[in-house]
Amino acid sequence: MSARAADSTPPKFSRDDLPAEGRDYPTDEQLRSRRLRLHGFAFRHALDLLQLGREERVTRMLLDDPIATLDDAMGLVVWANKLYRERPGLGLWHTRDRAGRFIGLFSLTPSGTADDVAIGVRLLPSAWGRGYAIEGGAALCTHAFETLQLPALIAQCVPENRSVPPLLQRLGFDEIEAGEQFGNPARRFRLARKDWHGLRPRRAGPRDAGPAHD
């Protein structure tokens, strides 16, 4: 699932989007679940983003371009903090396990021009198969529908990704008409607030490898 907005136009930044007096952005905890801690991104997390962006098992299933350079990582941090300010409650978050280890990122981001909000997750392979994707996904759905009162969420993945659809189905998402993201074919899913009832029972299928691939 994508961790970035679906608008292909590069974000524009100004001096006002940077932290004052050469300081870094704050890294306050934004959300938590039983095993996960979601914090705001700061420049100090650039190497974590590069680690995620250079992991071939993650990047081969991306709809958007990987985080390949330090400039990419720094730009994503600035964009994340701009989003925190302009759309309180939305964002993409540096995610750690209970031991404080970086495992990836989760996101709720504006998508396209129809006021859609997309749920996303990108996990390091070391975090796959541990149920983190479904746990974090449920926490984001609860936040989106119960705290933010969003009318719906969408999700997208590459057609070849077999891990994401079963996880989205457990969250209650239904598949809708296919589309494109960043010029690439994408399977698309949607969940309305009225249809969010928590996790559905697990079905037989692929193990939870995260929607670590977006």
Side-chain angles (χ1 to χ4, degrees):
M1 290 190 287
S2 180
R4 264 188 4 185
D7 185 352
S8 60
T9 304
K12 296 181 180 180
F13 306 125
S14 70
R15 185 180 298 274
D16 292 338
D17 295 317
L18 299 174
E21 301 176 358
R23 293 175 295 184
D24 203 352
Y25 294 106
T27 59
D28 299 334
E29 183 178 288
Q30 304 293 325
L31 293 168
R32 71 160 55 198
S33 63
R34 183 172 64 89
R35 297 178 297 163
L36 304 177
R37 308 294 181 260
L38 280 63
H39 292 255
F41 269 105
F43 290 135
R44 72 195 72 171
H45 300 137
L47 293 182
D48 289 335
L49 286 169
L50 283 175
Q51 179 187 8
L52 193 61
R54 292 175 176 176
E55 174 54 67
E56 190 272 338
R57 286 174 290 177
V58 175
T59 60
R60 68 188 178 193
M61 287 292 183
L62 296 181
L63 282 163
D64 56 346
D65 294 331
I67 304 161
T69 68
L70 185 58
D71 282 348
D72 291 341
M74 302 286 266
L76 191 63
V77 169
V78 176
W79 181 75
N81 281 272
K82 183 179 176 70
L83 185 59
Y84 304 150
R85 292 194 309 276
E86 295 182 351
R87 296 287 301 272
L90 301 188
L92 57 159
W93 299 287
H94 183 277
T95 303
R96 309 167 191 166
D97 63 14
R98 285 185 295 193
R101 294 179 292 249
F102 174 68
I103 63 168
L105 65 84
F106 285 84
S107 62
L108 291 172
T109 55
S111 181
T113 58
D115 295 325
D116 287 329
V117 171
I119 186 172
V121 52
R122 197 174 298 184
L123 299 178
L124 290 170
S126 59
W128 296 358
R130 302 187 180 190
Y132 289 143
I134 197 69
E135 179 179 333
L140 289 186
C141 287
T142 298
H143 175 65
F145 295 134
E146 298 181 11
T147 302
L148 302 181
Q149 292 290 298
L150 296 180
L153 290 174
I154 66 166
Q156 303 182 86
C157 69
V158 297
E160 299 80 11
N161 194 318
R162 298 189 178 185
S163 299
V164 167
L167 293 171
L168 291 173
Q169 289 165 4
R170 285 199 66 200
L171 292 170
F173 282 80
D174 291 319
E175 188 159 8
I176 58 177
E177 184 179 0
E180 287 190 353
Q181 188 183 35
F182 303 108
N184 298 312
R187 293 178 69 177
R188 302 178 68 242
F189 303 81
R190 186 177 186 274
L191 173 62
R193 184 172 70 225
K194 65 181 179 60
D195 296 323
W196 165 244
H197 305 296
L199 288 179
R200 295 177 178 178
R202 181 188 294 273
R203 297 179 181 178
R207 291 185 63 199
D208 172 14
H213 320 297
D214 28 12

